[in-house]
Amino acid sequence: QVQVMESGGGLVQPGGSLRLSCTASGISSFSSATVGWYRQAPGAQRELVAQIGESYTNYPDSMKDRFTITRDNGKNTVYLQMTSLTPADTAVYYCRVSLRPNSYWGQGSRVTVSS
């Protein structure tokens, strides 16, 4: 059974940084998986933050200057480094691990940016 778990969220001051982790267990070919970070703010739709494949990364234009996605296949983990955070980044951050034909979501990690 595949399980996806996010960690690293919490309260951070405006201008601060945070690194989220997404770890998958029960998956045999993690290195072949596409992993995406998404976020959902209260009252808003879930949106893509960053995505990483075997040999590429993808960011929406609004995210590419402050967010960096990396992976460590030996640990079945993908990281999201976030910098220069603002209150607008407050949301629940979700990880999605996709290995055709299946996709698996984690439960989310809450990030609150506030002074």
Side-chain angles (χ1 to χ4, degrees):
Q1 181 179 357
V2 177
Q3 291 187 320
V4 177
M5 181 171 294
E6 303 94 339
S7 62
L11 176 64
V12 61
Q13 292 189 339
S17 299
L18 208 59
R19 189 179 79 159
L20 303 180
S21 299
C22 167
T23 300
S25 60
I27 186 169
S28 60
S29 304
F30 182 79
S31 61
S32 299
T34 298
V35 181
W37 279 101
Y38 296 76
R39 71 183 184 185
Q40 188 165 19
Q45 290 187 330
R46 193 171 296 189
E47 62 176 345
L48 177 68
V49 173
Q51 187 180 59
I52 188 165
E54 288 188 79
S55 58
Y56 73 91
T57 57
N58 178 47
Y59 305 90
D61 288 342
S62 59
M63 310 290 180
K64 62 175 59 177
D65 292 334
R66 299 185 298 118
F67 293 175
T68 303
I69 189 170
T70 58
R71 69 191 301 161
D72 183 343
N73 292 327
K75 296 181 178 180
N76 279 17
T77 299
V78 167
Y79 304 98
L80 181 69
Q81 179 70 48
M82 305 185 291
T83 63
S84 302
L85 289 165
T86 74
D89 295 312
T90 294
V92 178
Y93 285 71
Y94 297 91
C95 178
R96 179 186 182 188
V97 177
S98 299
L99 190 61
R100 290 182 179 180
N102 302 307
S103 285
Y104 309 93
W105 288 91
Q107 294 298 307
S109 181
R110 184 174 301 276
V111 173
T112 302
V113 184
S114 175
S115 56

